[in-house]
Amino acid sequence: TSSLPIYTLEEVAKHCSLDSGVWVTYKGEVFDITEFVALHPGGDKILLAAGGGLEPYWALYAVHQQDHILQILTEYKIGVLNKESYKKQESANPSDPYFAEPTRHPALQINSLKPFNAEPPASILTDSYITPSAVFFKRNHLPVPRVVSETYKLEIEGLPGGAVSLTLSELKSRFPKHTVTATLQCAGNRRSDMNKVKQVKGLNWGIAAIGNATWSGARLRDVLLYYGFGPDVAAKARHVQFEGLDRDVTGTSYGASIPLNKAVSEEGDVLLAYEMNGEELPADHGYPVRVVAPGIVGARNVKWLGRIVVSDEESKSHWQQNDYKGFSPGTDWDTVDFKSAPAIQELPIQSAITHPAEGMSVDCYAGDVTVKGYAWSGGGREVIRVDVSVDGGNTWHVAKLRTSDKEHNPALPPPPGRAWTWKLWEIEIPLPDKAQELQIVCKAVDSSYNVQPDSSAPIWNLRGVLSNAWHRVKVKVSE
Ligand code: HEM
Ligand code: MTE
Ligand code: MO
């Protein structure tokens, strides 16, 4: 009966800062509280609710259950939510730690909803050299934290000047902005192949827990030098620890560390990134700041970065100490000693076939079959060759490698040891005479002539990490 405008949750979500205006919802109504933010007796915490519902926060701060507060709110009413949006919001439980999760692209294949873990359909990966952020794999151990950019602080410890704390605008203005294109891969990518050998513990990732993006931000090296890193620190410290703002129910945050050498090297290209693919970091990828440590396993690229500690020790976090390590196929959960193995840092050579997919059929009159995939190696080692077979590995063909989206304008080759990006590859292979089935196989070689093992059993490990055997896909040849 009211003639007020009707909004969707998506429209409200766009008004999530003082710049874009601060909108909130309450019981199906929409309010523009931009003017009220400065008047709020509870301070700028109020911005946490910007772009979404007040309910989960007011459940936390019960002081708001008063008539005069509802009256203040009414003054700012600008409209109502549409039915569908209101229903969706009502069904959310305000005491669920996962209430603030962002909306995600429907194409993502979900491995776990809470925490959110998902990968795109593999065929999407080779459609573009730069993986669009919306379909870039998402690997969260905890709820996505709501971080307000206006009040965000990055803390740094372990440097001569003592602890420092810097705001997002200081990070952006004090240090030059650098852009690095780098591939990020989860240690568990292709875990499902290991699961076929023997059950492992972990999310059952397919071949798409990997993506290639353009990251921009301050160089970690520049930041550490600015706050006093020098020979004195280098003589004692060995690691740079990172802490996320995401926390479990006990208040413990996600954490990891990388070697100090990597962090301060001019050739390490480690970023405190605030942009992904030319836009501010999406919530799932670490808004407002994340670590991008090119060539290093995904787990150390800490998102929602809250603290940096320069130290003589590795991060004490569970994920650095008791996870993300490799073991012998003979090691089981009764015998495993996590102290006996180093934390994974650089990843080994990897490749996989994105097209055709397992079980597809190829037309026998086509004459040949087009095979596509990706290849990448850790530690800045460049992929120098990808071999492809359609007869299970009896005969091999060398694929054409692609290093940009521009066919006729390939990117300059990277300096040796700084090949951070994947190569997409493609090849047309003649169909073998009278073949009824193709066993397509790929394997890559990096600049150190490292190769992939031919099968998963000899590299099987209880956590299912570092799964990089030759990738095999069976397809039918149809008449
Ligand atoms: C306090 C209004 C949203 C956190 C208050 C008070 C008012 C108020 C009037 C003082 C209450 C009293 O002392 O009796 C509002 C209105 C909001 C809003 C109108 C929405 C338009 C939020 C949100 C949060 C929040 C989203 C947190 C995320 C707090 C806190 C206090 C407070 C922490 C201080 C409580 C204390 O001092 O004990 N708010 N608030 N408020 N508010 Fe809000
Ligand atoms: N950082 C925080 N704070 N919390 C996390 O759960 N997951 C890590 C890493 N950084 C994680 C994190 C893991 S295991 C991986 S593989 C990458 O983030 C995934 O990054 P993405 O979600 O941007 O693809
Ligand atoms: Mo990961």
Side-chain angles (χ1 to χ4, degrees), residues 104-121 136-140 186 188-193 195 202-210:
R104 277 110 180 188
H105 197 281
L108 289 168
Q109 297 169 353
I110 298 172
N111 257 322
S112 129
L113 195 57
K114 297 175 179 185
F116 192 75
N117 287 284
E119 63 189 298
F136 198 98
F137 82 98
K138 308 191 193 304
R139 203 288 176 244
N140 300 339
C186 181
N189 189 33
R190 299 189 59 203
R191 178 177 284 133
S192 52
D193 278 6
N195 254 329
L203 296 162
N204 199 33
W205 293 112
I207 65 168
I210 185 169

Side-chain angles (χ1 to χ4, degrees), residues 137-139 141 246 254 285 290 298 301 303-304 324:
F137 82 98
K138 308 191 193 304
R139 203 288 176 244
H141 292 82
D246 46 341
Y254 183 85
H285 297 287
R290 83 171 301 168
N301 291 245
K303 305 191 276 189
W304 313 291
Y324 295 112

Side-chain angles (χ1 to χ4, degrees), residues 24 33 36 40-43 45-49 54 57-58 61 63-64 66 68-69 72-73:
V24 294
I33 59 161
F36 179 71
H40 179 228
K45 268 210 180 68
I46 192 172
L47 288 171
L48 282 169
L54 286 170
Y57 299 98
W58 282 8
Y61 301 104
V63 66
H64 297 94
Q66 305 181 62
H68 81 272
I69 292 188
I72 302 177
L73 192 58

